[in-house]
Every structure is written in C-alpha cells, then in structure tokens.
Amino acid sequence: HLQPQLQYQSMRKHNVSTASSISEHEFSCHCCYDILVNPTTLTCGHNFCRHCLALWWESSHKNECPECREKWEGFPKINILLRDATDKLFSEVVQRRRAEIQANPKISRSLLAFQRYGDNLGRSRTNQHKGAGFFFSGVLSALTCVAVMVLVYHWSYGVVEQHDLLISKPVARWTPEEVVSWLEQLGPWAQLYREPFQQENVNGRLLLMLGDEELLKAPYSIENQAHRRAVLAELDRVKALGVKPPQNLWEYKAANAGKSLFLLYALKRSPRLTILYLYLFDYSETFLPFLHTCCPAIAHIDQEVESRFLETQWAEFLVKYCLLPYQLIAEFAWDWLAVHYWTSRFIIVNAMLLSVLEGCALWRLWTRARIRTLPHKMWNHLWKMLSQGFAFALLWPFVPQFVCNCLFYWALYFSPIINIDLVVQQLMHPETQAL
Ligand SMILES: [Zn+2]
Ligand SMILES: [Zn+2]
C-alpha cells in the first residue's frame, strides 16, 4: 500500500526537475510566437495571449479563431491553469511582456474594448434570461404610443390654439361667444348664468362696464352673493391684465412660453435650485401659489391672508424641499388632475421616477464610500445649472416657436418614458452609473 505512494512522490520530484527542459515552443502563442501571456482558450481549443486575441478581434471584427477560423461561443475566458503554469515556468519572460503590454496604449485600449464587449454580451444575456428587457421594451413602446396619441389629440383639436386667443386678445375686443366661454371657464356654477349673457349678446366692451349692481338685477340676476363676488373678482383680474389670465397649463405656456419651458427643464434637472430661484425672484407670482398648492393649510385661509404662510406650512414645505423635492412637484400636478388628465399623470410618474433615480445616485455614492464628494458634486452642479440658465437666457430670443414646442412636449411626455428605462437599468444593475 505504501509503495505506490512513494513511487508517485518520486515521480512528482522527477517532473519538477524536468520542467525546465520543456521547450518554450509548447507554451508559445501562434499570433506573436512568444510565451503566452494571460492565455485564453477558445471553443476550438486553441490558446492565444489575451492581448493578441483582443487585437485580432478589434482588427477583424470577427469572433473567429485566428488559426483555424472556427467561431467561438460566448466570451472567451482566461485559462487559469495554463496562466499559472506559464507564469511559474517562464516568470522572467512573462513579467517582461506584461510590463511591455501595460506600457503600450494601443494594446491597453484593445484589451479594454474587448472586456467591454464581453461585459455587454453578459449583460444582454442576463436580460434575455430574465425576460425583463423584452417586457420593458413592450411597456415602453406602449407608453410611447400613448404619448404620441396625446400629442396628436392636442394638435388636431387645437386645444392649444383656441386658448391662445383669449389670453392674448384685449378684453375690449372679445366677441359675445368669447365672453360666454370665459364665463364657462369660471366653474360649473357659472353655467347658471350662461343664458342671460348669451341672450344679451354681452361683448368684451360691455363686460368691462358690468358692476355689482348690474349683475344683481335682471337680466343677469346673479342673486347668489358668492357667485357675484367670484365673477367680479375674475373681472377685476381681467381688467388689470387687459387680457384673460392663464388658467391652465396650455394658456400659461402660450402666455409665458420661455418661462414655462425654463421651469419644465429646470425643475426636472434641479428642483431645489429652481424652487429657491422662484422664492428669490418670483415670490408672489409663482412661488406663493406653488406653495399653497403643495402644502395647503389645514385651517381655511381667507383671501386676505393668502399672501402669508403658517409655520406648519413652512415646516412641511422645508422637509419635503430637502428630502423629496420631486414630491412637491408631484403634489402640484396632483392638484391639476381634474384639468389636465393625462399631462398631470405624466408629470406625477416622472416625478416619482426622478426621485428613484436620485435615491439610486445617493445610494451608489454611499456604498462606494464617496459620500464625502457630495458637496463637491453639488458645487459642480450649481455651476452647471447657472451656466446653462445663462446660455438659455441668451439664446432664447433666437429659438423658433416650433423648436420651443418640440422641447416642451419632449420634456413633458417623452422624458418620463426615458426615465422608466433608466430606472429599470438602475434597479437591475445598481453598480452602473446613470446617464
Ligand atoms: Zn500572443
Ligand atoms: Zn482554433
């Protein structure tokens, strides 16, 4: 029993001593005719240095063995056993060649490209395996179809153009039909008073003359005091502006094309900075209504004190502002759900997706222990936003209306679809950087 073991041990000793007598020819690469470095075995069984294979792959654009031209399957791996053997047997040569390869930028680039090709191959295989790629591309196509349909609806029914008229046409020149449509937009309760306005053929000039007394008496007979006050308040706004104030997103966009486009992109890219900008430079016009919509006071607020905030409102706002700024935007869109059925939904979905993307980015920084670079990143972001805002302001007068519309609808309807894809990528490969 002991004898075979002894025999085996003596055989091993013998082998080690004869190892140096193995000729270099057996361990040479058939591309460079030198000792194999990181030998890579193909499916045909041939071995090549990894960098020789990468160079060949890059120049030929083929997945073929350089020697027998057989196609290889999958992504070739380094043959670990062979590598360890050559590293030990020809350590000097291999070390010298490794240093040469590292010093050669062309070879390094080829190796990197080859590795990337392999990574992509592996990724697409795992996607296929899970079937998720197929599923989400289906969802994405469906959503793109919905977005295109919404756009076609808006353009073909002229929703946008119809409202353009009243917000840019002076009140004094409104026709009786336009006065009635203005009245209807005040709310469902205004339907009650549609008839008398229609019968009397009230045009814009006459509308401007109407006061509390006229509205109370026949033929208008608005006996409900609240209704009368609402009509008069709206009439005062119209008088002050000279035109109808914008009452929905499309009217707002028509009246403030540049501002709406700026807000759309800025809120998407950097909600905190944009809200801060609104607080500093556009307090009463935009910031106040925004805040009252997102963080409504629990107690009823009178018209007179609407320009002030309760402390609880501020606290709620600041917490959301710091932690979940996109939540504020989603809540604002939620309030408009009745007016803009599809658009509000797109904005809410997009806000949630952007929150997830922001969370992923933070999580990545945290797991890579690079959270200390956050202030630096924020500073860079601030500069980027400022320079982009400046460029936008400079270029704005030269942007054609058509391009502006395209950018607007793109940000509104297509960016949520792109973000769905980004979120899926992030959740499936959390280690990769989002674009
Ligand atoms: Zn080689
Ligand atoms: Zn081969």
Side-chain angles (χ1 to χ4, degrees):
H1 182 71
L2 202 69
Q3 219 174 358
Q5 210 177 1
L6 275 172
Q7 234 175 358
Y8 172 68
Q9 275 180 354
S10 72
M11 236 168 72
R12 275 187 66 188
K13 269 181 196 153
H14 176 73
N15 273 0
V16 169
S17 64
T18 56
S20 54
S21 71
I22 291 174
S23 77
E24 293 188 0
H25 180 73
E26 272 88 48
F27 291 97
S28 70
C29 161
H30 284 221
C31 270
C32 59
Y33 298 101
D34 209 334
I35 298 295
L36 284 160
V37 178
N38 290 332
T40 301
T41 310
L42 302 181
T43 32
C44 59
H46 285 120
N47 295 292
F48 301 95
C49 310
R50 193 158 190 79
H51 68 276
C52 290
L53 195 67
L55 286 169
W56 158 259
W57 167 82
E58 209 178 35
S59 61
S60 71
H61 304 287
K62 281 177 189 161
N63 298 358
E64 281 179 0
C65 168
E67 202 165 350
C68 68
R69 303 283 161 147
E70 191 182 312
K71 285 214 163 155
W72 73 63
E73 305 272 329
F75 185 57
K77 306 272 187 318
I78 290 178
N79 186 330
I80 295 169
L81 186 76
L82 197 57
R83 182 194 62 191
D84 292 350
T86 47
D87 282 9
K88 257 191 192 150
L89 289 171
F90 311 99
S91 59
E92 270 176 42
V93 185
V94 171
Q95 265 173 22
R96 174 178 55 79
R97 293 203 68 201
R98 282 239 164 86
E100 280 170 12
I101 291 164
Q102 270 179 1
N104 189 328
K106 186 178 179 290
I107 295 179
S108 306
R109 234 178 291 131
S110 297
L111 276 171
L112 199 69
F114 192 51
Q115 190 56 46
R116 275 211 195 110
Y117 157 76
D119 290 346
N120 286 338
L121 206 69
R123 199 170 294 160
S124 66
R125 286 200 165 200
T126 47
N127 282 0
Q128 270 171 12
H129 181 65
K130 285 176 187 165
F134 174 74
F135 173 72
F136 281 108
S137 70
V139 170
L140 285 185
S141 330
L143 282 175
T144 312
C145 287
V146 170
V148 169
M149 269 154 55
V150 169
L151 281 190
V152 169
Y153 167 78
H154 275 298
W155 279 328
S156 61
Y157 285 81
V159 177
V160 186
E161 285 74 16
Q162 190 198 330
H163 291 307
D164 281 20
L165 277 173
L166 284 193
I167 53 159
S168 55
K169 189 172 177 179
V171 200
R173 301 222 312 267
W174 286 3
T175 63
E177 290 79 34
E178 282 165 349
V179 170
V180 169
S181 93
W182 167 80
L183 187 72
E184 279 174 340
Q185 279 180 23
L186 295 184
W189 54 268
Q191 291 289 338
L192 289 171
Y193 314 109
R194 197 172 168 271
E195 286 279 291
F197 274 84
Q198 225 162 12
Q199 276 166 7
E200 290 297 306
N201 268 327
V202 180
N203 64 4
R205 206 171 287 279
L206 185 56
L207 182 70
L208 288 174
M209 298 300 139
L210 294 179
D212 192 53
E213 275 179 43
E214 286 86 358
L215 288 176
L216 178 63
K217 284 186 227 152
Y220 310 107
S221 328
I222 306 181
E223 272 154 23
N224 185 323
Q225 205 195 345
H227 289 181
R228 216 162 54 238
R229 267 171 55 189
V231 172
L232 283 172
E234 197 55 35
L235 199 55
D236 281 343
R237 284 181 73 194
V238 169
K239 275 181 197 165
L241 279 171
V243 293
K244 187 171 90 86
Q247 267 164 356
N248 60 41
L249 178 67
W250 308 121
E251 291 179 352
Y252 186 83
K253 175 182 166 288
N256 314 286
K259 197 168 148 190
S260 55
L261 190 65
F262 165 74
L263 283 180
L264 199 60
Y265 273 88
L267 282 172
K268 199 176 79 176
R269 292 290 307 280
S270 179
R272 292 185 187 86
L273 276 180
T274 314
I275 293 171
L276 184 69
Y277 165 84
L278 291 178
Y279 174 75
L280 293 175
F281 301 107
D282 202 358
Y283 186 77
S284 57
E285 273 269 300
T286 315
F287 183 79
L288 272 181
F290 180 73
L291 210 153
H292 275 297
T293 314
C294 302
C295 310
I298 296 155
H300 177 71
I301 294 188
D302 286 330
Q303 203 79 8
E304 282 75 27
V305 286
E306 208 174 59
S307 56
R308 288 194 296 118
F309 284 121
L310 304 176
E311 267 171 33
T312 49
Q313 269 180 297
W314 267 116
E316 187 190 346
F317 171 76
L318 284 176
V319 169
K320 284 180 188 167
Y321 175 81
C322 293
L323 297 179
L324 285 167
Y326 291 111
Q327 165 90 9
L328 287 171
I329 298 166
E331 280 176 37
F332 185 73
W334 184 263
D335 202 63
W336 285 91
L337 217 51
V339 184
H340 301 293
Y341 185 83
W342 278 109
T343 308
S344 287
R345 275 166 175 74
F346 269 87
I347 293 175
I348 291 167
V349 168
N350 202 12
M352 292 194 305
L353 292 171
L354 287 167
S355 286
V356 173
L357 283 177
E358 195 186 60
C360 283
L362 272 178
W363 183 79
R364 215 167 35 233
L365 278 182
W366 179 258
T367 51
R368 288 181 191 173
R370 285 206 212 131
I371 203 81
R372 272 174 289 128
T373 62
L374 192 64
H376 179 69
K377 276 184 191 292
M378 282 164 72
W379 178 250
N380 279 349
H381 179 73
L382 175 70
W383 272 114
K384 209 168 137 191
M385 285 302 291
L386 284 179
S387 52
Q388 280 179 1
F390 186 66
F392 179 84
L394 271 184
L395 289 174
W396 174 246
F398 308 105
V399 180
Q401 180 71 28
F402 172 74
V403 175
C404 165
N405 274 338
C406 285
L407 288 174
F408 188 82
Y409 291 118
W410 176 269
L412 211 53
Y413 298 115
F414 289 96
S415 88
I417 297 173
I418 294 167
N419 284 337
I420 289 180
D421 201 38
L422 279 180
V423 166
V424 170
Q425 272 180 29
Q426 285 285 294
L427 295 181
M428 282 164 77
H429 309 283
E431 70 284 353
T432 51
Q433 188 109 24
L435 291 172

